[in-house]
Amino acid sequence: MNSAALSMLWTAAVETLTMVGAATVLAVLGGLPLGILLAATAPGGILEKPWLNRILGTVVNLGRSIPFIILMVAIIPFTRSIVGTSIGTTAAIIPLTVAAIPFMARLVEGSLREVDPGVVEAAHSMGAAPGEIIWKVLLPEALPGLVLAITVTAVNLVGYSAMAGAIGGGGLGDLAIRYGYQRFRGDVMLQTIVILVLLVQGMQMLGDKIANRLYHRN
Amino acid sequence: MKPGNHCLSERCQFQLNPRFREMRGEANLFRFLDRNHLFFRRRGFFIQGCGNLIRLQNLTKTFAGKDEVRALTGISLEIPAGQIYGIIGPSGAGKSTLLRCINMLERPDSGEVWVADTLMNGLGPQELRSARKKMGMIFQHFNLLNSRTVSGNIAFPLELAGTDKRVMRRRVEELAELVGLTDKLQAYPHQLSGGQKQRVGIARALATEPTVLLCDEPTSALDPETTSSVLELLQDINEKLQLTIVLVTHEMAVIQEVCHSVAVLEDGRLKEAGPVVEVFTRPKSEAAQRLLQGFLSARFEVSRQSPDGTLIRLTFLEERANQPIISKLIRSHQVDVNILFGRIDQMKGAPFGTLMVELAGPPEQKAAAMEFLEANGVGVEVMER
């Protein structure tokens, strides 16, 4: 492997990590509150509001039903209004985030709903307010599940980011398509795949490790 | 006492409780009463506060759904301060719903819930939360926070109440000592046994110094040995802190062991309520009789010895049965009395006697004999004719 190919791989890997990292952080910032809202307003939730729950649920489903490659192109005007351009790695972060927020929100909702209702009832019996139940009961009790939800979202974003080449986002997936596939460079294809596999494995292992450390159940 | 000892006299009671013997030599009655304070209190000699702490008036609750379930129908109940008040009934009787109405975890459709001088179902959300901070609750499945240590769990209600950190730490230590878990403060719930988890639940419920402790089947998930240790703790707390305890259970043994009074529920209706000794020895409702039958028959299996005998169960209440009634009966009536089984039970410390006898003789004499017994304050129940 020559140094040009190596630097190409390095640049692509950094682009992927930038896109996935930034989109994951933004997805947590957006998806966590949305997921909490979905769980809290659901029937039987601590702030039961069926109409709000139905509206949010519909919006989230809408976001999740659009294929990422189409979503990316469809929201170009929105992307441009935020980052000033619709091409490049930074521009790709916006559609990645938009796609990841509803995904993350559903996973958060699921983890929060798995918290033992008895524990929530106990908190009610102690006079806890809804906000205190969210911060002091639901989130801490669901923390291991939330860490796994973030991990799954990040892994999912690695996959999505491979499509970012369509809007000039770069990254490992883009490199594999342009060099590995279109220029018949089997070696580049193999190298990117190996890096992607290692990346995903590493992320999952880290997520599992943190979740296990937080998991105080048998 | 051996079977066949049919007279439960005052003297017998003194023998059962050696502390009474001191009374003879005791010059100062007040000193004696003071020294034996707990002993007398257990027997209900002086019930704390005298007034009622909780008053439920005509509570009705229906659960909507595919098939509507009438959980509670017109329940009125008064729970005196300082008592351990049991609520018993078969599963689905509405016991837990009734308990949850006291702190509004379930809102009754109609009726009033009074705790001290507060109308609970008249409170707004904020007022209700403050009111709940003065009521503790423990659960069948403990409902501890898995993400917190024992110390964190006990501190939780204190955090909600905005207690000062240093005060909190001291209070947590006190409570851990009260429930005997000082060495487990840093453990997580999954590292504890069921009994230990319930002790944490109790410590947590007591953290804010509540006026009442609501217990929802607190021992149903525990083995018999742990059950009695948790019940002992509850009794201890009731005496030490003079705390009113409302306890829901489906086990008669739990009621017998710790409760002063009991309410019997069936199909969402109140069937009977009163002091435990009364309900156990002279159950008026069929619901209570059914519950007792299962409970008592498991303890003595007795059958008729002769085909024309009548099997009856006699119950002796402490203050009424201080005469040699059986020998009087034999002398004054033309019946033979065959004593098959006798036992003395401790009802929350207070003794009451049960005797299974078979009466033989002419039918009219047997009827007269039973009348004689009843007239002398003995509970008579015909088991087999």
Side-chain angles (χ1 to χ4, degrees):
Chain A
M1 206 191 307
N2 58 34
S3 65
L6 199 63
S7 86
M8 211 160 57
L9 265 179
W10 175 250
T11 313
V14 169
E15 282 166 352
T16 292
L17 285 175
T18 309
M19 286 189 286
V20 171
T24 303
V25 170
L26 293 172
V28 170
L29 291 178
L32 198 59
L34 188 56
I36 292 171
L37 218 53
L38 276 171
T41 59
I46 51 166
L47 289 166
E48 205 175 320
K49 289 209 170 33
W51 58 272
L52 182 60
N53 188 259
R54 217 164 303 137
I55 294 171
L56 290 174
T58 311
V59 171
V60 165
N61 288 345
L62 204 75
R64 291 190 58 197
S65 55
I66 303 169
F68 180 65
I69 188 98
I70 294 166
L71 178 90
M72 196 163 53
V73 184
I75 65 161
I76 280 178
F78 175 69
T79 307
R80 191 177 288 134
S81 76
I82 289 181
V83 292
T85 172
S86 62
I87 18 182
T89 307
T90 317
I93 292 171
I94 302 302
L96 283 173
T97 305
V98 170
I101 285 176
F103 183 79
M104 177 81 193
R106 280 292 184 212
L107 293 178
V108 169
E109 183 197 8
S111 319
L112 295 183
R113 280 187 173 209
E114 254 173 53
V115 173
D116 180 4
V119 178
V120 176
E121 190 186 37
H124 275 299
S125 80
M126 288 179 252
E132 289 171 318
I133 291 181
I134 291 171
W135 281 109
K136 287 174 177 281
V137 179
L138 289 179
L139 290 176
E141 288 291 293
L143 197 55
L146 293 176
V147 169
L148 291 178
I150 294 170
T151 310
V152 171
T153 305
V155 168
N156 219 41
L157 280 170
V158 172
Y160 282 177
S161 74
M163 290 177 238
I167 58 164
L172 289 165
D174 183 44
L175 184 72
I177 295 286
R178 284 190 295 120
Y179 282 77
Y181 176 64
Q182 289 164 350
R183 297 188 190 178
F184 306 104
R185 287 282 299 274
D187 55 335
V188 176
M189 182 70 98
L190 195 66
Q191 285 153 9
T192 54
I193 287 172
V194 168
I195 296 174
L196 284 171
V197 167
L198 290 176
L199 182 65
V200 169
Q201 288 288 346
M203 280 160 52
Q204 192 63 55
M205 269 166 63
L206 184 69
D208 287 343
K209 201 169 176 179
I210 297 173
N212 277 334
R213 185 158 298 177
L214 295 169
Y215 202 65
H216 293 295
R217 255 186 265 181
N218 35 354
Chain B
M1 259 183 208
K2 284 182 216 87
N5 204 339
H6 56 270
C7 164
L8 182 66
S9 69
E10 283 302 326
R11 205 174 309 122
C12 296
Q13 282 183 48
F14 289 175
Q15 278 166 2
L16 280 173
N17 306 287
R19 269 190 281 181
F20 268 101
R21 286 197 208 122
E22 299 165 17
M23 201 165 164
R24 259 175 249 159
E26 199 86 35
N28 189 333
L29 177 67
F30 288 107
R31 227 166 73 210
F32 169 76
L33 282 174
D34 195 47
R35 288 238 315 260
N36 296 285
H37 177 76
L38 287 185
F39 182 78
F40 281 107
R41 235 168 69 70
R42 273 196 187 166
R43 275 151 192 76
F45 274 76
F46 7 89
I47 299 287
Q48 285 301 306
C50 295
N52 291 319
L53 179 69
I54 298 170
R55 224 169 67 236
L56 309 176
Q57 249 162 33
N58 212 8
L59 291 191
T60 302
K61 170 88 188 172
T62 306
F63 288 113
K66 252 184 278 161
D67 346 74
E68 240 178 39
V69 182
R70 198 86 195 252
L72 300 175
T73 310
I75 293 198
S76 298
L77 202 62
E78 289 181 344
I79 298 176
Q83 281 208 359
I84 302 183
Y85 200 101
I87 298 174
I88 193 165
S91 60
K95 320 180 282 286
S96 288
T97 308
L98 183 63
L99 187 76
R100 280 168 169 70
C101 280
I102 297 176
N103 62 358
M104 292 288 123
L105 284 178
E106 296 284 0
R107 275 192 181 271
D109 300 334
S110 65
E112 291 179 355
V113 178
W114 291 87
V115 178
D117 296 322
T118 311
L119 178 65
M120 292 297 286
N121 41 356
L123 299 177
Q126 178 59 49
E127 296 163 310
L128 178 59
R129 286 197 288 271
S130 326
R132 279 175 177 166
K133 284 173 185 158
K134 287 277 124 203
M135 308 171 83
M137 188 165 186
I138 61 170
F139 305 85
Q140 179 175 3
H141 298 293
F142 326 122
N143 296 350
L144 303 178
L145 291 145
N146 287 315
S147 56
R148 287 177 175 234
T149 58
V150 168
S151 140
N153 267 287
I154 301 176
F156 184 62
L158 296 168
E159 275 175 39
L160 295 177
T163 312
D164 175 76
K165 276 258 156 61
R166 247 178 310 158
V167 177
M168 200 190 300
R169 202 170 319 135
R170 212 179 43 235
R171 186 95 185 96
V172 167
E173 275 164 22
E174 277 170 23
L175 288 158
E177 202 183 317
L178 178 72
V179 300
L181 284 176
T182 319
D183 53 334
K184 295 280 180 195
L185 277 173
Q186 295 317 312
Y188 282 92
H190 80 269
Q191 297 164 315
L192 303 178
S193 69
Q196 288 170 329
K197 283 184 202 174
Q198 196 57 290
R199 281 165 188 276
V200 178
I202 292 170
R204 181 176 70 172
L206 296 178
T208 51
E209 297 179 336
T211 51
V212 58
L213 178 62
L214 307 175
C215 309
D216 185 18
E217 299 267 9
T219 59
S220 299
L222 304 175
D223 59 61
E225 215 168 292
T226 322
T227 293
S228 31
S229 86
V230 166
L231 289 178
E232 238 165 70
L233 176 63
L234 287 176
Q235 208 162 1
D236 200 36
I237 287 162
N238 167 254
E239 282 160 9
K240 258 192 211 154
L241 311 176
Q242 321 214 324
L243 180 70
T244 310
I245 297 179
V246 186
L247 189 152
V248 161
T249 181
H250 63 271
E251 292 167 291
M252 285 305 250
V254 171
I255 301 281
Q256 183 199 16
E257 212 171 317
V258 294
C259 292
H260 298 97
S261 304
V262 63
V264 180
L265 242 60
E266 200 179 68
D267 297 328
R269 287 166 202 275
L270 180 67
K271 296 293 180 181
E272 187 165 351
V276 171
V277 178
E278 295 257 311
V279 175
F280 268 58
T281 50
R282 295 192 173 82
K284 291 181 207 75
S285 64
E286 274 180 39
Q289 280 161 11
R290 258 197 302 279
L291 283 167
L292 277 165
Q293 219 158 40
F295 177 61
L296 294 173
S297 69
R299 301 175 158 224
F300 37 81
E301 302 262 329
V302 183
S303 58
R304 230 166 1 168
Q305 303 296 305
S306 63
D308 57 343
T310 303
L311 190 65
I312 58 175
R313 180 166 75 205
L314 307 177
T315 20
F316 297 85
L317 270 176
E318 39 184 327
E319 72 273 22
R320 304 298 292 271
N322 49 8
Q323 301 166 53
I325 289 166
I326 298 286
S327 51
K328 274 192 186 170
L329 171 75
I330 298 167
R331 255 180 283 156
S332 58
H333 293 76
Q334 293 300 311
V335 289
D336 284 321
V337 179
N338 187 8
I339 295 172
L340 302 173
F341 181 91
R343 64 176 287 139
I344 292 177
D345 274 290
Q346 293 282 112
M347 190 88 66
K348 202 177 160 51
F352 85 100
T354 310
L355 208 56
M356 296 290 278
V357 302
E358 190 181 1
L359 294 181
E364 67 280 359
Q365 281 297 325
K366 282 197 278 191
M370 282 189 261
E371 247 169 65
F372 170 82
L373 287 166
E374 270 172 346
N376 278 281
V378 178
V380 179
E381 198 185 334
V382 178
M383 310 299 284
E384 251 181 284
R385 246 177 231 289

